[in-house]
């Protein structure tokens, strides 16, 4: 992701109804066109009068959040994180026949968690236990281990030097229209639309990021 100011709300990589019946069309419309748009707009507002930051890619802004001018730090953390997390989340879904991990990521999941099903149970538990709004993630640390973590609000794992492979948005706006307050049902449906090809690409990209063979 190398976009920089002025950030734009990229179209979804699929139709709004592509994830039916797991994620409903109306939720996808509102989530992308309203929620994400607001993060994009507010990130641009925050950066508007800081031309020195206009060439910075989003990832660089988030990795270096604590060295940004103090008066825009919170706005970039919340809105830059909102843009970054949502782009990853939307790109991380697809309605395909591939319902389980593939490639190198598949082997890494078996090694780290025992099996895909054990991974799935642990990931679901983490996603359920995020208190309030946030995300559950599968990330890689600097030594190449894959771990499950949670973040609050629009925080990203980048600030902790963790490289994202997979994430689920568990803010209520991601599921309330279809699943009401039943976050666990939404998580089950999300597992049906994980884009495992994209997750494998992210996994390999993380290995490059951390200079791992
Ligand atoms: Mn969201």
């Amino acid at each position: 992701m190398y976009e920089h100011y002025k950030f734009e709300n990229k179209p979804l990589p699929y139709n709004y109804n592509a994830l039916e019946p797991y994620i409903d069309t109306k939720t996808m419309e509102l989530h992308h066109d309203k929620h994400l748009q607001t993060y994009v707009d507010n990130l641009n507002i925050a950066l508007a009068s800081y031309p020195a930051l206009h060439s910075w890619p989003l990832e660089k802004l988030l990795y270096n959040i604590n060295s940004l001018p103090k008066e825009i730090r919170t706005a970039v953390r919340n809105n830059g994180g909102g843009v970054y997390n949502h782009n990853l989340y939307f790109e991380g879904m697809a309605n395909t026949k591939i319902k389980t991990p593939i490639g190198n990521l598949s082997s890494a999941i078996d090694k780290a968690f025992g099996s895909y099903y054990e991974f799935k149970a642990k990931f679901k538990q983490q996603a359920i236990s995020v208190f309030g709004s946030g995300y559950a993630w599968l990330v890689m640390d600097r030594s190449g281990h894959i771990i499950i973590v949670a973040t609050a609000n629009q925080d990203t794992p980048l600030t902790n030097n963790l490289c994202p492979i997979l994430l689920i948005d568990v803010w209520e706006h991601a599921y309330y229209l279809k699943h009401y307050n039943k976050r666990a049902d939404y998580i089950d449906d999300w597992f049906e639309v994980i884009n495992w090809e994209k997750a494998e690409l992210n996994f390999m990209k993380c290995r490059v990021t951390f200079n791992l063979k």
Side-chain angles (χ1 to χ4, degrees), residues 31 35 39 86 89 135 154 169 171 173-174:
H31 204 171
H35 291 279
Y39 291 117
H86 281 99
Y89 169 72
Y135 293 79
Q154 294 297 350
D169 184 342
W171 285 59
H173 67 229

Side-chain angles (χ1 to χ4, degrees), residues 135-155:
Y135 293 79
W137 304 76
L138 180 67
V139 296
M140 185 185 290
D141 70 16
R142 300 192 66 83
S143 57
H145 295 115
I146 56 169
I147 51 175
I148 297 169
V149 298
T151 55
N153 305 313
Q154 294 297 350
D155 289 353

